[in-house]
Structures are given as C-alpha cells and as structure tokens.
Amino acid sequence: MSARKIIIDTDPGQDDAVAILLALASPEELEVLGITCVAGNVPLPLTERNARIVCELAGKPDIKVFAGCDAPLARKLVTAEHVHGKTGLDGPTLPAPTMALQPEHAVDFIINTLRAEPSGTVTLCPLGPLTNIATAFQRAPDIAPRVAEIVLMGGAYFEVGNITPAAEFNIYVDPEAADIVFRSGAPITVMPLDVTHKALVTRARNEAFRSIGSPVGIAVAQMTEFFERYDKEKYGSEGAPLHDPCVTAYLLQPGLFTGRHINVEIETHSPLTLGMTVADWWRVTNRAPNCTFMGNVNADGFFALLTERLARL
Ligand code: BDR
Ligand code: CA
C-alpha cells in the first residue's frame, strides 16, 4: 500500500515536535506533503522556526515548511509560554535551523495541494488552533469535500478544559475557526484531552526515549522533562500528557484508540464557556454526528509505537 498523504498543521510546542518526529519516522505509512505553521503555543515566527528545527533534528531538511496565519480569525492571540517556555521548544539545546522557509503562504499551500491531488487522498492533521484550515475552507469552499480526513488534537468532554475551566487550548484560541472546521462536512477524528490525559510520560517511558541514545531520543526526553513540570504541578500526575502525537499515532495504528461517532459543536459566544467543545457523548440530542470523538487510548501500545519509531530517526 502506498503511503498516506498528510499535511501537518502545527504550532510547535514540544508535543507538536514529537508528533512531527513520529510522522517523519514513518515514511512507509505517511508521506508528509508539507508542514503548515500557525500562531498558537507561541507567535508564528517561533512556530515556523521550531518546525524547521524539528525537521533538521529528524535529518529531514527537505520537508517543506510554510508559515500561515499569525492571529486567530476574530480575536487576539492567546499563547502558552507558561507551558512550553519562551521559545515554545524549551528543554533541549538545538541548533538554529538552516533550511529555508517556503515562500508560499500556508493557506495557499493547503488550497493548492487539495486541488492538485486526487480528491479524497489528502489527510489534514491539525495540532494547533484551526486558523489556517478554516481560512483555507473559507477562501476555497471547493476543498472541504476533497479532504480525505481531518485528524486533529483539540477539545475535551469529560476533562472539560485546560486553558479555562471549560475549554481546551487549541479550540479556545480560535473558536470561530474551530466552528468552521466542525461544520465543514469533512470527515473528522478528534483527539481530545480525554484521550491525551491518558497518554502520560511516566519516568520509565521517558527513560525509554533517552535510552534510544540518539540526538532525537535525547531531545525528546529533554522536551518532555521541560513541559511535564507544569502538568505535574497542575494535575498531580506522574508526567506530562503527549497530546499531539496521538494524532500521528492514530494514523499509524488506529486500533490503539476508541471513541464514538457523535455531534460536537463549538461555543463561540458565552464568555464563561468560550471554546468549549459541546460533545453529545450520550447522544441526548438529535443533532447529526459530525466527528469521531475519541475517549480512550491503549497507552502502553502508544508509547511502544512511539519509542520504536523515534529510534528509526
Ligand atoms: C494542545 O495545546 C497545546 O499547548 C499543545 O501543543 C496541544 O496541541 C493541548 O491542549
Ligand atoms: Ca499543538
């Protein structure tokens, strides 16, 4: 079988970095057509720089990296340096990137790629606020029906929120964009906090990364060590959740995850619950299902896959 074509839309972020590394370590299954960057965890000049740093860390300087939207559709950017550090990739000391940023705007790349490739063959993998994807759908309404699948990290139901009591960060930063994407009609698979909070980097799992012994293994161990301090303090958990790699792991081994095909709507008005993913998990409305919302992950299987693949880089 030929590799699945994907576009990774991202705001690196240490967990975004691990998600990208997992994809780049799996060329037999995943063909990364491009990495499109968006403002989120840190401002755009840092997210596009971080994406290039990660490609070079993986030894893949030929991957195309694009800069996209530098602010949400209708709001001021909210960032997360309190989690990811000043650069967004705090932890390891990694060299400044030498590979060039692509001249094309990320949104144009998404539109042109979905038009150029056969319909139903390109999967979008958003790991940050949905600004780039929503802008592309707004500008080119013909592309949503051409998307094979959108597999995204965002939202929460049982875990409710991490940036506010009601909302998960990626959706909260640009709720209008999320609303456009969830109403787009494209097939959507969601990795919410309900799943990612079960994918915790314990000490043993981080030692497994470090024991790979390569620059990638050591850098991943240092990244997770950096951002776990925040989650350990906040949740009293054993380690940090690896949110975004759940997206790329799903593409490689969908059987690791279980969920429900349900309706999810985005709160775009209430100041109290802005960005909430109102998930009809119990199917108590007759609103039509618009996504598969995951609820569980085989965490041991997930970390086994991750460690085995990272060792290939
Ligand atoms: C999401 O927000 C970011 O901080 C992470 O990179 C992840 O995409 C988790 O809420
Ligand atoms: Ca992210």
Side-chain angles (χ1 to χ4, degrees):
M1 229 179 70
S2 59
R4 183 167 175 173
K5 293 174 187 172
I6 65 170
I7 296 174
I8 301 178
D9 189 72
T10 178
D11 62 336
Q14 293 91 346
D15 61 319
D16 302 71
V18 180
I20 294 168
L21 291 169
L22 178 57
L24 296 181
S26 309
E28 278 171 25
E29 293 100 335
L30 302 176
E31 180 185 353
V32 181
L33 300 178
I35 298 180
T36 54
C37 299
V38 68
N41 285 323
V42 284
L44 183 68
L46 286 171
T47 61
E48 63 85 354
R49 182 176 191 273
N50 290 345
R52 289 183 291 132
I53 289 175
V54 173
C55 290
E56 290 188 1
L57 173 65
K60 312 256 179 183
D62 296 336
I63 298 289
K64 294 182 185 158
V65 175
F66 302 83
C69 300
D70 62 1
L73 295 186
R75 297 174 190 275
K76 249 185 89 189
L77 177 65
V78 175
T79 52
E81 286 88 353
H82 60 295
V83 184
H84 299 275
K86 223 163 61 180
T87 67
L89 216 50
D90 281 18
T93 307
L94 296 168
T98 57
M99 62 186 273
L101 183 67
Q102 296 295 311
E104 196 178 7
H105 192 281
V107 170
D108 293 324
F109 173 73
I110 293 168
I111 295 172
N112 293 338
T113 305
L114 279 163
R115 284 179 176 162
E117 297 288 340
S119 185
T121 61
V122 177
T123 295
L124 302 178
C125 304
L127 311 176
L130 289 157
T131 322
N132 283 344
I133 310 294
T135 305
F137 285 0
Q138 272 184 325
R139 257 194 233 159
D142 57 297
I143 61 172
R146 302 180 65 83
V147 173
E149 188 179 357
I150 300 174
V151 184
L152 67 89
M153 191 279 136
Y157 180 63
F158 295 99
E159 289 283 315
V160 201
N162 59 357
I163 184 75
T164 74
E168 181 280 328
F169 180 79
N170 289 341
I171 306 295
Y172 177 77
V173 171
D174 200 341
E176 284 75 19
D179 188 47
I180 290 169
V181 171
F182 276 78
R183 289 180 193 282
S184 69
I188 302 177
T189 298
V190 183
M191 296 292 164
L193 296 181
D194 309 302
V195 167
T196 68
H197 282 182
K198 293 177 182 126
L200 296 180
V201 188
T202 59
R203 183 171 295 206
R205 287 168 179 163
N206 211 33
E207 277 319 306
F209 293 148
R210 197 187 314 278
S211 308
I212 294 171
S214 64
V216 167
I218 293 165
V220 167
Q222 291 172 336
M223 284 183 212
T224 54
E225 261 164 13
F226 178 83
F227 79 90
E228 75 176 4
R229 87 215 176 286
Y230 175 80
D231 291 280
K232 275 173 147 173
E233 201 174 299
K234 181 172 168 192
Y235 297 109
S237 55
E238 217 191 319
L242 271 187
H243 305 284
D244 295 336
C246 288
V247 167
T248 31
Y250 173 77
L251 299 176
L252 297 168
Q253 276 187 32
L256 291 172
F257 300 87
T258 51
R260 293 185 179 189
H261 191 53
I262 58 167
N263 176 273
V264 173
E265 311 244 340
I266 312 296
E267 176 57 59
T268 55
H269 293 293
S270 157
L272 199 56
T273 57
L274 187 70
M276 187 171 190
T277 42
V278 181
D280 190 5
W281 183 262
W282 301 112
R283 301 193 179 106
V284 291
T285 74
N286 54 12
R287 295 197 284 262
N290 57 350
C291 67
T292 300
F293 197 81
M294 293 302 179
N296 218 336
V297 56
N298 167 353
D300 285 335
F302 169 76
F303 280 97
L305 171 71
L306 196 50
T307 310
E308 182 264 317
R309 291 301 166 106
L310 293 178
R312 296 185 185 185
L313 289 172

